[in-house]
Amino acid sequence: VFGSVEVMSIDDTAVNHMVVENALKMRGYKVTICMSGEEALALMAKRGHLPDCVLLDCQMPGMDGFETCRAIRAAYPQNPLPVIMVSGK
């Protein structure tokens, strides 16, 4: 990968983040970790830019992946941010 491509991993399970980091960092991707949808949305708003892609767990306590995806789409309707829904079940 040329340049810095950022993948945001949103998942409530630390082991899943380790798998994502191990797979992507060795290939040159920057990985940003968020443990919840609320944390991810707050980070996106705070820093003023979006990642290049989101890996989003479907089943999380509180705001689940589907709610998080809807909130991202509502907050950034003009941005075609790729969101890949994942599940460990």
Side-chain angles (χ1 to χ4, degrees), residues 48-78:
H49 70 276
L50 298 176
D52 297 293
C53 180
V54 171
L55 296 178
L56 179 55
D57 182 17
C58 297
Q59 298 178 332
M60 296 183 290
M63 179 182 274
D64 70 17
F66 300 103
E67 293 173 282
T68 302
C69 187
R70 282 192 291 273
I72 292 169
R73 296 289 183 234
Y76 307 98
Q78 300 302 318

Side-chain angles (χ1 to χ4, degrees), residues 1-74:
V1 176
F2 297 99
S4 180
V5 175
E6 179 189 11
V7 176
M8 180 177 281
S9 176
I10 308 171
D11 198 314
D12 62 314
T13 306
V15 172
N16 293 346
H17 289 301
M18 289 173 47
V19 171
V20 168
E21 282 187 305
N22 287 336
L24 297 179
K25 280 190 172 183
M26 67 180 358
R27 290 170 176 84
Y29 292 91
K30 177 183 179 199
V31 179
T32 301
I33 301 298
C34 292
M35 296 300 290
S36 69
E38 294 91 348
E39 179 185 353
L41 290 164
L43 180 60
M44 288 178 195
K46 177 182 175 182
R47 64 188 197 165
H49 70 276
L50 298 176
D52 297 293
C53 180
V54 171
L55 296 178
L56 179 55
D57 182 17
C58 297
Q59 298 178 332
M60 296 183 290
M63 179 182 274
D64 70 17
F66 300 103
E67 293 173 282
T68 302
C69 187
R70 282 192 291 273
I72 292 169
R73 296 289 183 234

